[in-house]
Amino acid sequence: MLFTTNWISTIFRNYSGVAEDTIQINEVVTDSRTRSSKSLFIPIVGENFDGHDFIKQAFDNGAVATIWNKNKELPSFLPTEFPVFFVDDTLRALQGLAAAYRKEIDPVVIGITGSNGKTTTKDLIASVMKSSYKTHATNGNFNNEIGLPLTVLAMDRKTEVLVLEMGMSNFGEIERLSKIALPDYAVITNIGESHIEYLGSREGIAKAKSEIVTGMTGNGYLLIDGDEPLLSAFHSKDRVIRCGFNTGNTVEINQVKISQDHTGFVLADGASYSVPLLGSHHALNATFAITLAKLMSIDSGVIQQALSSLQLTSMRFEMVSGRNDVSIINDAYNASPTSMKAAIDVVKQMSGFSTKILVLGDILELGEHAQSFHESIADVIDDSVSVLFTLGDQAKSINKKVTAMENGVVCKHFSTKEELAHGLEFYLNKDTLVLFKASRGMQFEKIIDKIK
Ligand SMILES: CC(=O)N[C@H]1[C@@H](OP(=O)(O)OP(=O)(O)OC[C@H]2O[C@@H](n3ccc(=O)[nH]c3=O)[C@H](O)[C@@H]2O)O[C@H](CO)[C@@H](O)[C@@H]1O[C@H](C)C(=O)N[C@@H](C)C(=O)N[C@H](CCC(=O)N[C@@H](CCC[C@@H](N)C(=O)O)C(=O)O)C(=O)O
Ligand SMILES: Nc1ncnc2c1ncn2[C@@H]1O[C@H](COP(=O)(O)OP(=O)(O)OP(=O)(O)O)[C@@H](O)[C@H]1O
Ligand SMILES: C[C@@H](N)C(=O)N[C@H](C)C(=O)O
C-alpha cells in the first residue's frame, strides 16, 4: 500500500465521495489502459489525448479513486461514494502528491541531471546503493515533469534511498523537479549541447542544469563535473565535490584504461575500479557513484562488486549480435554532439574487427547550431573507420565533410531506413562492427531490427 484516500484528503481538501474512509491506494496510474489493483487514477491532458475521457476504463481496470480537474464534467456512472478529489490542474496535482509522498517517506534522495550520462549514472548509483540500502530508482528514462513524480509515487514505503533522473529541455524544468524531489545529494554529470535549441547556448544549458540546487535539503553534497568551466561558480561553494580528470579536483580520476568490455581507472586514494562500460566518460559517471557510495558508508569492496553487476538501461552503447554474427552497438536511444563523438572515439579504440561502420543520424534540437555541430562530428572520424552511412538532412553534413576529407572512409548517405539497412547487407559478418547513433526522434532501432 502507498497511502489511503484519507491521507490524500489532507492534501486535496476539495472532494466528493467517502474520501475520509481508509480506502487503500496501492499504486498511482495515469494511463487508463493499465490494469491495476486499488489504484488512484490521475488523468493527464496530453498532446494527443485527455486522460479525463478514459475514467470509465480506469474504473473498470481497478481505479478506486481519482484526482479530477474541477472544470471537467464528472461522468454519471461513478458511484456516489467513489472518492473524487477536485483540483485546478491534474499535472500539478500529480506533482504535489509526489512531493507530499517524498516528504512522508523521507528517504535519502539523490538527483542526477546533466546533458549526457544521466541514465547511465542513475543506473550506476542505483547499483551501488542497492548493495546496502532498500533503493528505488527511475525506471528507464522517466525523467520529466510526469516521469519523475510517477517514479516517486512508485516508491515502496520502506525505501531508504531514492535515485531520481532529472531531464529537461528548457529553463525552469529542473527547478520544478528539484522542488518536488528535495534531493539530499545532486549530480551534474556534464554540460554538453543537448536541447541547445531551447537554451540558446552552453551557458544557458549550465544555468538550467544548475537549477538542481534549488530544492536541495543541505544535508548532503552537490557532485559536479569538475573539469567543466561552465560549472566553476560552484567551486567556491560549500558542500560541493568536484570529480574529474584534471589535477586539483576533489576526486581525481587517473590511469584510465579501456579494454574489450570494461573501463578501468584509479582514484587519487589509490583505489582501482572497473566498470563494464566503454569510454573515459564512464569513468567519470562511475566516480560519481563511487563518491556517493563512500558518503553513504558503503565499503569499497562492495562498491566494486556493485559496479560489476550494473544493469544498464537499454540502447546506451548496448552490444548486440546481428545477422551473420555481425557485432552491433545500439547507442541509439538519443544523441548529442558530445555523446556521438564519445561513442565514435570508443569504436575507434575497439580491437578485433576488420571493418568498422558508423551509422549516424540527425541530432535534433540543436537549432541554429545544427550544421556546425554535425560537421564537427567529422573531426573524430579517421581512417580507423571503414564506412560511414548517414540518414537525415542534418547528418548529410557529416557525410559531406568526411567525403571532402578524402581519408579513405567509404561514405554513403541514404534517404530511408530501408535503403540504409539494405546497404548494410554486404558488410554483415563476424568481423564487422556497426555503431548506430542518432537522436530519439530518428528511431534507429527500426534499422537495427532489419539486420538482426
Ligand atoms: C502524458 C503521457 O504519459 N503520455 C504518454 C502517452 O502519450 P500519448 O500521446 O499516447 O498520450 P497523451 O500524452 O496525449 O495522453 C494524455 C494522457 O492520456 C492517457 N491516456 C491515453 C489514452 C488512453 O486510452 N488512456 C489514457 O489514460 C495517457 O496515458 C496520458 O497520461 O503514451 C506515449 C507512448 O507510450 C508516451 O511516450 C507518452 O509519454 C510522455 C512523452 C511522457 O512525458 N512520459 C513521461 C512519463 C516520461 O518521463 N517519458 C520519458 C521521456 C521523458 C523525456 O523525453 N525526457 C527528456 C527531458 C525532459 C524534456 C521535457 N521538456 C519533455 O518534453 O519531456 C529527455 O531528453 O530525456 C520516456 O518515455 O522515457
Ligand atoms: N559524460 C558523458 N559524456 C559524453 N557521452 C556520455 C557521457 N555519459 C554517457 N555518455 C553517452 O551518452 C549517451 C547517452 O547516455 P545516457 O542515456 O546515460 O545519457 P542521458 O543524459 O540520460 O541522455 P538523454 O538525456 O539523451 O536521455 C550514451 O551513448 C552514453 O554512452
Ligand atoms: C524528448 C526530448 N527531450 C528529446 O530527447 N529529444 C530528442 C532530441 C529527440 O526527440 O530526438
Side-chain angles (χ1 to χ4, degrees):
M1 180 188 83
L2 292 178
F3 39 71
T4 66
T5 47
N6 193 332
W7 180 77
I8 301 173
S9 70
T10 65
I11 302 164
F12 304 114
R13 298 181 186 281
N14 176 12
Y15 56 82
S16 66
V18 287
E20 296 86 347
D21 272 14
T22 54
I23 299 172
Q24 72 175 33
I25 300 293
N26 294 331
E27 54 186 311
V28 173
V29 299
T30 56
D31 193 327
S32 64
R33 295 161 291 193
T34 304
R35 295 197 66 78
S36 63
S37 166
K38 297 183 179 176
S39 65
L40 172 68
F41 177 57
I42 304 182
I44 303 293
V45 179
E47 289 182 10
N48 301 307
F49 302 98
D50 180 347
H52 292 84
D53 296 337
F54 305 99
I55 178 74
K56 178 70 170 63
Q57 186 183 37
F59 179 82
D60 294 342
N61 272 338
V64 294
T66 187
I67 291 180
W68 195 258
N69 184 309
K70 66 182 183 183
N71 298 314
K72 302 238 182 221
E73 186 182 348
L74 203 56
S76 55
F77 81 89
L78 283 174
T80 50
E81 69 276 11
F82 187 87
V84 180
F85 298 89
F86 296 98
V87 297
D88 294 327
D89 179 313
T90 51
L91 175 55
R92 295 292 173 256
L94 169 70
Q95 295 166 351
L97 193 67
Y101 188 59
R102 176 259 177 265
K103 288 175 181 169
E104 165 94 355
I105 305 305
D106 199 24
V108 172
V109 179
I110 302 169
I112 302 110
T113 194
S115 297
N116 309 102
K118 294 186 295 296
T119 302
T120 303
T121 303
K122 173 264 293 183
D123 290 341
L124 286 161
I125 292 170
S127 188
V128 296
M129 292 299 155
K130 281 174 184 167
S131 70
S132 307
Y133 298 95
K134 185 169 179 57
T135 303
H136 181 70
T138 298
N139 180 26
N141 203 64
F142 264 38
N143 65 15
N144 70 3
E145 59 178 357
I146 301 165
L148 180 138
L150 286 176
T151 301
V152 173
L153 289 164
M155 162 175 63
D156 184 283
R157 292 190 68 88
K158 295 186 174 61
T159 299
E160 296 172 299
V161 177
L162 176 62
V163 186
L164 294 173
E165 179 177 336
M166 299 183 180
M168 69 93 200
S169 57
N170 223 321
F171 294 108
E173 292 180 7
I174 295 293
E175 178 174 357
R176 184 186 303 282
L177 299 181
S178 185
K179 288 182 173 174
I180 294 167
L182 304 182
D184 298 295
Y185 297 91
V187 178
I188 303 177
T189 60
N190 81 331
I191 303 299
E193 314 84 8
S194 303
H195 315 300
I196 197 169
E197 176 174 10
Y198 309 120
L199 287 304
S201 64
R202 292 188 66 244
E203 288 75 7
I205 294 170
K207 181 171 184 283
K209 299 294 185 184
S210 299
E211 291 171 10
I212 197 168
V213 304
T214 56
M216 287 185 76
T217 60
N219 300 332
Y221 290 83
L222 169 67
L223 281 65
I224 63 170
D225 171 0
D227 299 336
E228 173 52 67
L230 292 174
L231 295 175
S232 58
F234 288 115
H235 291 193
S236 59
K237 305 282 188 195
D238 290 338
R239 309 183 79 83
V240 173
I241 297 175
R242 291 172 286 113
C243 300
F245 305 93
N246 295 345
T247 305
N249 276 305
T250 320
V251 184
E252 275 181 41
I253 308 164
N254 301 301
Q255 301 173 45
V256 178
K257 285 190 179 61
I258 302 168
S259 69
Q260 193 69 10
D261 57 5
H262 70 273
T263 297
F265 55 97
V266 178
L267 297 184
D269 63 3
S272 299
Y273 294 93
S274 163
V275 63
L277 300 168
L278 300 180
S280 57
H281 49 276
H282 290 310
L284 176 58
N285 295 337
T287 297
F288 291 130
I290 293 162
T291 304
L292 285 166
K294 290 179 178 176
L295 288 166
M296 294 286 286
S297 308
I298 299 176
D299 175 74
S300 289
V302 174
I303 293 171
Q304 178 52 61
Q305 193 177 351
L307 292 175
S308 303
S309 59
L310 172 70
Q311 297 291 315
L312 183 62
T313 302
S314 61
M315 298 180 70
R316 276 74 176 178
F317 214 87
E318 182 182 5
M319 294 291 289
V320 296
S321 182
R323 206 179 313 147
N324 304 340
D325 289 333
V326 64
S327 293
I328 296 169
I329 300 169
N330 177 351
D331 197 13
Y333 179 78
N334 216 339
S336 69
T338 295
S339 65
M340 188 175 275
K341 290 176 184 173
I344 294 167
D345 281 339
V346 175
V347 166
K348 285 158 60 177
Q349 297 176 56
M350 291 175 75
S351 57
F353 301 98
S354 59
T355 304
K356 294 180 180 181
I357 301 175
L358 305 179
V359 180
L360 306 180
D362 286 358
I363 303 169
L364 305 179
E365 300 185 18
L366 295 178
E368 65 188 26
H369 310 271
Q371 179 161 351
S372 58
F373 273 131
H374 281 85
E375 290 177 345
S376 73
I377 302 297
D379 298 345
V380 298
I381 300 176
D382 61 21
D383 60 5
S384 64
V385 170
S386 316
V387 179
L388 169 65
F389 281 3
T390 52
L391 180 73
D393 294 340
Q394 300 289 358
K396 202 173 203 174
S397 304
I398 307 172
N399 201 300
K400 285 176 68 174
K401 185 86 180 285
V402 175
T403 302
M405 289 155 68
E406 295 181 337
N407 57 6
V409 177
V410 173
C411 298
K412 190 165 176 52
H413 183 73
F414 294 86
S415 305
T416 69
K417 294 184 175 72
E418 292 71 22
E419 288 172 357
L420 196 154
H422 183 67
L424 285 169
E425 296 284 344
F426 172 77
Y427 298 97
L428 300 183
N429 63 62
K430 65 179 178 55
D431 300 319
T432 297
L433 175 67
V434 191
L435 167 70
F436 288 88
K437 187 90 183 146
S439 270
R440 179 83 315 261
M442 296 298 284
Q443 298 185 313
F444 264 24
E445 60 276 11
K446 291 180 178 173
I447 306 174
I448 295 172
D449 290 343
K450 295 180 189 299
I451 64 166
K452 276 185 171 176

